[in-house]
Amino acid sequence: VQLQASGGGLVQSGGSLTLSCVASGITFSRYSMGWFRQAPGKEREFVGAVRSGSGAATYYLDSVKDRFSISRDNAKNTVYLRMNGLKPEDTAVYHCAADAGLILSNIRNYRAYNYWGQGTLVTVSS
C-alpha cells in the first residue's frame, strides 16, 4: 500500500493550495480517506476526512471547515484537499491516511487509520 501526497509549498497568507494524495495497492473506493497535519512541536491534528461509499460524507476540523474542502476521485485513486484563505497557523506537514474499516466515531482519530502517506509541507507566510 502506498499513499503519495503532493502539492505543498510556500504561500502567502490568504492564498490557496490544493493537496493531492494518490493511493495504490488498495481498492480505493472502499477506503475512508483522511487528512491530518503536524506542526513542529505539536501533536498530529485532524484536518478533514471523506468517507467511502455512496454520498462520500465529509468531515472537517472546525477551524478549517469554511476554508478547506475535501473531495475524492475514485477513478483516479486520489483524494484532494483544497485549501483557501490560508493562515500562518495552517503551516504544517500534511499527511493523508486511509482506512477501510473506519467507524464514524473514529473519523478524527489518527490512531484509527492503518495507512499513511509521507506528508507534504505547507508553509504560510504572514
Side-chain angles (χ1 to χ4, degrees):
V1 178
Q2 195 168 27
L3 302 178
Q4 184 71 40
S6 62
L10 174 64
V11 64
Q12 288 189 334
S13 182
S16 298
L17 282 174
T18 298
L19 307 184
S20 301
C21 175
V22 181
S24 60
I26 59 173
T27 305
F28 181 76
S29 61
R30 296 179 182 176
Y31 280 70
S32 295
M33 302 298 296
W35 285 97
F36 292 80
R37 65 188 181 187
Q38 190 163 18
K42 294 188 176 182
E43 283 204 1
R44 190 162 295 192
E45 177 181 51
F46 170 79
V47 176
V50 56
R51 295 294 298 274
S52 61
S54 61
T58 55
Y59 305 86
Y60 297 94
L61 177 70
D62 283 348
S63 63
V64 309
K65 64 182 179 180
D66 295 328
R67 301 183 292 123
F68 292 8
S69 177
I70 291 177
S71 61
R72 65 188 300 158
D73 186 336
N74 289 338
K76 295 182 178 180
N77 285 6
T78 302
V79 61
Y80 303 96
L81 180 66
R82 174 65 178 177
M83 304 185 293
N84 296 321
L86 283 161
K87 304 176 180 181
E89 53 263 41
D90 295 319
T91 295
V93 175
Y94 284 69
H95 299 268
C96 59
D99 197 88
L102 205 61
I103 59 175
L104 184 56
S105 60
N106 279 338
I107 200 83
R108 294 173 172 81
N109 181 1
Y110 73 86
R111 297 179 180 87
Y113 289 76
N114 271 331
Y115 302 112
W116 288 85
Q118 84 291 354
T120 184
L121 176 62
V122 173
T123 304
V124 184
S125 63
S126 56

